[in-house]
Amino acid sequence: MIVNIDRSGTVESLEKIVSITKSHEAVEGLMILSCDANGFAPDSVNGVLRDCDIPLFGGVFPEIICGTEKLSAGTIVAGLTKRPEVRIINSLSDINIDYDRELDEKIPDSESIKTVFVFVDGFAKRINAFIESLFNIFGLEVNYIGGGAGSLSMQQKPCLLTNEGMLQDSGLVATVNMESGIGISHGWKKIKGPFRVTESDRNTIKTLDWSPAFEVYQKVVKKHSGQDITEDNFFDMAKKYPFGLSRLAADCIVRDPFKLEADGSLTCVGEVPQESFIYILNGDMSSLVKSASKAAAISRASFTEGHKPDTTLFIDCISRVLFLKEDFQQELKAVVDPGTELIGALTIGEIANSRKSYLEFYNKTAVVGSMGN
Amino acid sequence: MTKQLELIQILYEISVAIGTSLDITENSKKSLSIFLRKLNCAAGEILIRKETPEGGYHLEPIISIPRSRGKRSIFAKELQGIPEAFTPDEWATLRAQLPMRIEEGYDSFLHILELPGFGLLLLKKREDDFEPFVIMSLDSILSKLAISFNNCLRNEKIEKMHRDEQRLTKELIEKTGALHESRLTLFHIMQEMKEVEGELRSSKETLEERVVERTRELEEMHAQMLIQEKMASVGQLAAGMAHELSNPVNFVRTNFSTLTDNFTDLLDILNEYRSIADRCDPECDSNPDLSALREKEESLAIDYILSDIPELFLESERGFERVVQIIQSIRDFSYPRNVENFVFFNINKGIEDTLIIARNIYKYHAEVRTELGEMPDVQCIPEQLNQVFLNLIVNSAHAIEETCGDSKGLIAIRTWYENDHAFCEVADTGPGIPVDIRSRIFEPFLTTKNPGKGTGLGLSISYDIIVNKHNGELTCECPEGGGSIFTIKIPKFHGEK
């Protein structure tokens, strides 16, 4: 990838680095990772995006990663040397849309597709259905990497960057004939469970073992931390105690509770199916950093034999940053591959597969992609 | 223990998630998806076992993840050792080998699991393969999944039957509707046919009526024409006769007048001779010649003859005058004019002439009393009016003859003029007209006369002449005391009402 970085976060700078990057003769498409703090809005940015005469895709994230540095403002423009085909799926919260059919119609069969970048509005309500449909189409014959865009303000707003402009409540799929290796790991450990999800509505857990979800959660957290969890400190406490959906002989899928509802329900980033079993997880700096390191190692190990990656794309959950705080630097250092350029985004949910397991929408997980040609 | 617990949870989650739809596509997609997700598989496929016409089986994918565009299995490469079609024995042999595990390279494993009574479930694992107890634990879920798929197929059949039933019902309704419409159309056509038939019948009846009416009119017209022709011929004949009689009657009348004068002279001379003889010498009385002459005078009653001759001449003179009058009346009655030309004519004159002509008919049975008022000439066809007068007078005479026998009845004829119209009333003392035919007396061929005495056209023709040709009126009254009164009313000027 041909990477250019702007640390100012202005539209003018964006326009400038877009122009610089696409002017590179090898560049056939752009991936743009920008910060929410840039304040990009359709009115100001759409002109730049629409004027771009090569395919572009990307998103606005809480923060972005550049080397071992985490940027809260600025933009990364990565030039792809293989031309991506970008498809947009609108209405990612609409319960009436059959994403299988939408994707089946929009995405052609192609043996040349090796890597699929997937970015979604992190606050859309049917991300899991979309991801499941994506897997139904491609299976695991390709590598997926991406995540949820959006703002830590938890307000849904235009956050996807495309040639059509900034989009909200949408998803984008960029297929590209690009070599990659993906590593996924989270480092969270089960502290209590399993609990049966006796009632849920998409990403809101209403009851666990027929009791209000918060009541169960509260008891476990208090017992483990010795601290009361209340409405006021919910966000701070919850980032340390995510849920885990179990899979056979694999890391569980993390679900990050970010909102306590008035009726005692817990709303997560990502769906929690009714009648599934979940655990309450906890982690520490060491386990999380180790997991990031593991993900990086897997990605490098699974990178196509005979090829050498030139870029490491690190899609890490913003909640891990919030949890690790200053220790997050350790996580970045654990991911760095000296031979590649490290870029990435701190996302609201991560999308990835490792070619050996089901494609999932993860939370609080470190996804590392080794990219190259 | 933890692994077992985890597996139980996962199997529970799978068992809850599968079989939630009766649609085979949705059910198989959801089921395969949950298997892959919860068992951490890289790919999967569900194959349905279908019977072949030869009595064997073949396998066909119903859902593949990732997607499959064709009917071939996405694991065709891995399944190379397994035939696509089986005899029942081969199928039994394959079943005995299940679950089957096919290795592809060092890190890819395809597991072939039986869905009992339905087909196969294929799951692909990468790197971390299933532990044997996991596969064994799937048995009951696979049975449940197979049952749910078979139920989907049964439901599909039921739904197809239901759809067929609905389609057939719809077709039946449509065809019933179409039949109903056809029946309605047929009914309307039949109604129209009936109406047309009715109209035809009515037209036919009307036509027949019109033919009868027209025939009757033609017959009437023909009869009228015959009568008019006859009348015209009779008129011409009468006029010719009158003309032919006129000359001999005139010179006979003239000669008779001369004869009367001459006879008067001769009578004077004879009386002179006889006076001279009376005055002769008595000896003369012995004259035998004279005596013989006187005896002959006595025997011949010469005195009576001499006194009667003037009376005879006088009566003859009256007879001649009457003959002349009759001839003149005949000539006037039958004056040869164009019968369609309207001329000014005094109807009193017409009545008088008609009475003369008809005298022979009525004179033995009726007295005629006329009361002819002051009358201007009116515009008419005189011959036709005379014919009407003649018809009415003759009818009255015949009516009186039938009832009065030897005693005479009365025919009273009265004319007057009023409000530019001429009126003529012909009344008789006959029996009147029977009540039942009073309203039909002007119809043609209606007669109460004895056979051979009337055509039944007299009043019809009269009505036609007065009403249709002269814009007048012809009415009839029958007073309670008997008799009948016919009244003619015609405008002074033709064309006026």
Side-chain angles (χ1 to χ4, degrees), chain B residues 301-339:
Chain B
I302 292 300
D303 287 338
Y304 173 73
I305 290 170
L306 290 175
S307 65
D308 193 36
I309 282 173
E311 184 65 25
L312 289 174
F313 275 113
L314 189 61
E315 282 181 2
S316 297
E317 184 62 33
R318 285 191 195 123
F320 279 126
E321 281 177 6
R322 182 152 182 75
V323 169
V324 169
Q325 191 184 20
I326 289 169
I327 288 169
Q328 187 57 45
S329 291
I330 290 171
R331 292 176 76 175
D332 288 346
F333 188 86
S334 56
Y335 185 81
R337 299 182 188 91
N338 187 336
V339 292

Side-chain angles (χ1 to χ4, degrees), chain A residues 8 43 79 99 109 124 133 136 140 186 191 203 211 259 270-271 299:
Chain A
S8 69
D43 288 349
Y99 298 119
D109 285 329
S133 294
N136 290 345
L140 295 181
H186 53 67
I191 58 164
N203 59 338
S211 298
K259 192 176 177 190
E271 284 184 42
S299 78

Side-chain angles (χ1 to χ4, degrees), chain A residues 220-239:
Chain A
V220 174
V221 171
K222 184 172 183 181
K223 189 174 181 183
H224 188 268
S225 66
Q227 284 184 275
D228 280 327
I229 180 166
T230 62
E231 197 175 341
D232 295 334
N233 67 358
F234 177 79
F235 192 77
D236 280 341
M237 291 297 287
K239 67 188 178 188

Side-chain angles (χ1 to χ4, degrees), chain A residues 188-201:
Chain A
W188 299 96
K189 308 290 182 195
K190 295 172 184 172
I191 58 164
K192 190 72 177 174
F195 299 101
R196 187 169 164 192
V197 181
T198 43
E199 189 181 358
S200 72
D201 178 16

Side-chain angles (χ1 to χ4, degrees), chain B residues 175-244:
Chain B
K175 284 181 179 167
T176 306
L179 189 64
H180 182 65
E181 275 182 22
S182 300
R183 283 180 64 190
L184 270 179
T185 308
L186 186 64
F187 177 74
H188 287 142
I189 290 170
M190 287 179 73
Q191 283 285 103
E192 282 175 15
M193 282 176 70
K194 272 186 185 174
E195 282 170 16
V196 170
E197 197 181 335
E199 283 169 11
L200 278 172
R201 195 182 299 121
S202 174
S203 299
K204 188 184 168 194
E205 283 169 4
T206 307
L207 190 62
E208 282 173 355
E209 282 172 9
R210 288 189 63 193
V211 167
V212 169
E213 175 74 13
R214 190 66 185 145
T215 304
R216 193 184 60 76
E217 284 174 7
L218 286 170
E219 283 173 353
E220 185 185 341
M221 197 182 294
H222 183 63
Q224 287 179 359
M225 282 172 67
L226 281 177
I227 286 178
Q228 283 176 348
E229 188 64 27
K230 189 176 171 184
M231 289 297 290
S233 300
V234 169
Q236 284 176 355
L237 188 64
M241 282 175 66
H243 181 71
E244 290 302 319

